Amino acid sequence: MSITEASLFWGFLLVYGAVMYWLSPRSTNAASFYRGADANGNPVSQWSLTASIFISWIFAKSVTNAANLGAAYGVVGGLAYATYWLSIPVAGYVIYLIRTQTGATSLQDFLTSRFGRLAALSFAAAILIRLYNEVWSNTAVVGGYFGLPGEPEYYGAAMLFTVFTLAYSLKGGLRSSIFTDVLQAVVFVFFVGAVLFLIVPANDGVTLLTSGEFRLEAGLDLLLVAGLQIFSYPFHDPVLTDRGFVNKEKAMLKSFVVAGLLGFVAVFVFSLVGVHAQLNGIDAMGNAPAAVGQSLGLTALFFMSVVMMTSAGSTLDSTFTSLAKSLAVDLPRLARRAADKAPSLRLGAVVMVVFALLGNLPMFAGTDILKATTISGTMVMGLAPVFLFYGFTQWSPWSFHLSFWTGLGLGVLLAAGLIPASWAIGEGKYGALLGVNAYGFLLCSAGFFLPLLARRLWGKAPAPSESVN
């Protein structure tokens, strides 16, 4: 970086951190810190919740992945990644049904009531892995605009960004997260518009929107994967699902639907950055937004960095607050050790600090950020039958475990490269991923319904142990 570039980028990072901390509200009680209520105990407004869901799911790694896929497969790649945002209306509708039909106040409460505490604990472990991945996969994207992996600037920017986000998250918890999400959503939309203003006129509009082919080998396989994973992927992300219980049911559902549709459009539109790279022969080098920004000059590169910082910040603060709630509220309740106690703000703060440090370790090891989405989404495919078909049972722990652990096992085998080649659907890069998700959904569904069928044929089936040590 030149002195001018360094002053601009580092200056914005410092100003961004200071402004977010200064503007974010302070929480003094558990309702505000963990549930986002205001000082008077009022729940989050519908439009604040909509903006929060929208921007907190526009991960820095996600818009980078969308642009990279646009560079690789044209608009087919962009559509494939944008399809994940249809997870939001799916999750909103399922949570609406759960709240209105069962009265549950969280997904953990719902799972405990239908499938037992052991099921809820297994679910809690899965979401902790998900949240852990969200830390490094977003800070690494921000670091990429200050230097290359291995360079001090890369790690320095990522860690400084982590510290700033941690600071205002500690100040206000979920209330602070939702408040800053609204600001970050406005900044994100403005600068994405500025980026498109630079890119769209440089291309023929028809060519830009029609590049790519709908073939399995040309990105359609990933589009089909996303279409399958939207029924399981959102439920292991408390950044999203925690927001499903902070407002009235109908207001929540409207927020989820609107936020999901806006997110789909925003991510697809940003993928055109990668399509621009493909059409103009720009080497994406694993980071299409940065490569395109460099090709268009300092102004475009700065716009790209602002988009990444705001999207990463909105996700990272939500990750910290979800981690705090999971470990300071949900797990103690599952262990029956805090049923009548107010959640500890201090414990939540300690959780945030620990994961801010440990969560960045994979960044130093160097990991593919796309795998944080596709692999984790595959490992939790067993959640789809649990949440889609729960109405078929009032109590069936075995249904959860046979579905959940089957999906987790298939995800581990895929990550280890042990899935037989015969499982692949098509010859494309994501053929094996598509095969595992397609066949895996059928196997997990069979696992879910098997105990119900056995109970009908042979009487009540035994339930797994529900003891918690």
Side-chain angles (χ1 to χ4, degrees):
M1 276 188 178
S2 67
I3 295 178
T4 301
E5 292 173 336
S7 299
L8 182 63
F9 282 76
W10 287 99
F12 178 81
L13 179 57
L14 293 171
V15 170
Y16 167 84
V19 169
M20 287 296 108
Y21 183 81
W22 177 56
L23 292 177
S24 61
R26 185 179 298 278
S27 292
T28 58
N29 56 67
S32 178
F33 195 84
Y34 293 113
R35 296 187 62 83
D38 65 17
N40 297 319
N42 299 315
V44 181
S45 70
Q46 180 177 330
W47 292 110
S48 292
L49 182 60
T50 301
S52 180
I53 296 169
F54 165 74
I55 192 62
S56 62
W57 243 52
I58 304 285
F59 318 128
K61 70 180 178 68
S62 296
V63 288
T64 299
N65 286 337
N68 287 344
L69 290 168
Y73 302 112
V75 295
V76 179
L79 284 172
Y81 211 76
T83 297
Y84 278 102
W85 271 255
L86 300 181
S87 296
I88 299 177
V90 170
Y93 182 65
V94 172
I95 292 173
Y96 174 82
L97 292 178
I98 287 173
R99 291 182 62 183
T100 55
Q101 293 178 355
T102 73
T105 58
S106 69
L107 291 187
Q108 284 81 0
D109 286 344
F110 162 73
L111 291 172
T112 302
S113 67
R114 291 283 174 133
F115 305 105
R117 282 195 302 145
L118 185 58
L121 286 170
S122 301
F123 175 74
I127 65 176
L128 285 177
I129 295 172
R130 158 74 181 188
L131 291 171
Y132 180 82
N133 281 335
E134 287 306 313
V135 177
W136 65 265
S137 60
N138 281 281
T139 59
V141 173
V142 173
Y145 286 83
F146 293 81
L148 296 173
E151 295 181 347
E153 295 83 0
Y154 173 85
Y155 298 116
M159 295 309 296
L160 184 60
F161 179 76
T162 302
V163 169
F164 285 151
T165 308
L166 175 65
Y168 73 77
S169 298
L170 290 171
K171 182 181 178 183
L174 185 58
R175 183 186 176 197
S176 178
S177 173
I178 292 176
F179 180 85
T180 54
D181 282 347
V182 176
L183 302 178
Q184 290 158 338
V186 173
V187 174
F188 174 84
V189 170
F190 176 81
F191 279 93
V192 166
V195 168
L196 292 177
F197 182 77
L198 296 174
I199 289 175
V200 173
N203 300 275
D204 175 75
V206 175
T207 303
L208 191 68
L209 293 174
T210 58
S211 64
E213 300 178 75
F214 284 88
R215 296 183 294 107
L216 287 176
E217 297 78 10
L220 180 58
D221 47 4
L222 184 60
L223 176 58
L224 295 176
V225 168
L228 289 169
Q229 290 191 351
I230 63 173
F231 298 103
S232 58
Y233 186 81
F235 299 109
H236 84 309
D237 184 9
V239 166
L240 177 65
T241 57
D242 283 350
R243 285 160 169 76
F245 295 89
V246 300
N247 207 332
K248 294 181 179 179
E249 290 89 345
K250 289 186 177 180
M252 175 277 297
L253 180 58
K254 291 178 182 177
S255 294
F256 270 61
V257 171
V258 173
L261 296 177
L262 290 176
F264 176 89
V265 173
V267 172
F268 173 71
V269 165
F270 195 82
S271 73
L272 298 179
V273 170
V275 179
H276 169 83
Q278 182 191 72
L279 296 176
N280 291 272
I282 300 171
D283 187 355
M285 298 180 293
N287 191 340
V292 171
Q294 290 171 347
S295 72
L296 294 175
L298 179 59
T299 299
L301 184 60
F302 175 68
F303 288 172
M304 295 288 189
S305 71
V306 173
V307 168
M308 295 305 161
M309 286 186 208
T310 52
S311 59
S314 65
T315 302
L316 191 57
D317 62 39
S318 298
T319 298
F320 287 147
T321 56
S322 291
L323 281 165
K325 180 176 179 292
S326 294
L327 292 174
V329 180
D330 296 332
L331 284 180
R333 285 179 177 173
L334 285 174
R336 295 176 179 171
R337 294 174 182 170
D340 300 321
K341 295 181 180 179
S344 168
L345 271 64
R346 178 174 295 180
L347 178 57
V350 170
V351 169
M352 289 184 185
V353 173
V354 170
F355 275 87
L357 296 173
L358 298 181
N360 277 301
L361 293 180
M363 175 185 66
F364 290 92
T367 309
D368 182 357
I369 59 173
L370 181 58
K371 291 181 179 179
T373 298
T374 57
I375 297 300
S376 66
T378 299
M379 288 182 176
V380 296
M381 72 173 80
L383 292 178
V386 170
F387 288 103
L388 295 180
F389 306 137
Y390 75 86
F392 287 92
T393 179
Q394 291 297 315
W395 173 257
S396 183
W398 277 111
S399 289
F400 174 91
H401 291 287
L402 289 177
S403 180
F404 177 78
W405 295 107
T406 297
L408 185 65
L410 289 172
V412 170
L413 291 175
L414 178 66
L418 298 177
I419 294 295
S422 59
W423 279 50
I425 298 177
E427 302 295 328
K429 180 179 179 180
Y430 302 102
L433 185 66
L434 175 58
V436 170
N437 278 271
Y439 301 136
F441 178 80
L442 296 176
L443 290 172
C444 292
S445 297
F448 181 87
F449 283 108
L450 183 62
L452 306 182
L453 179 62
R455 181 176 300 171
R456 173 162 294 188
L457 293 176
W458 297 297
K460 183 177 175 67
S465 173
E466 294 298 314
S467 63
V468 178
N469 298 321

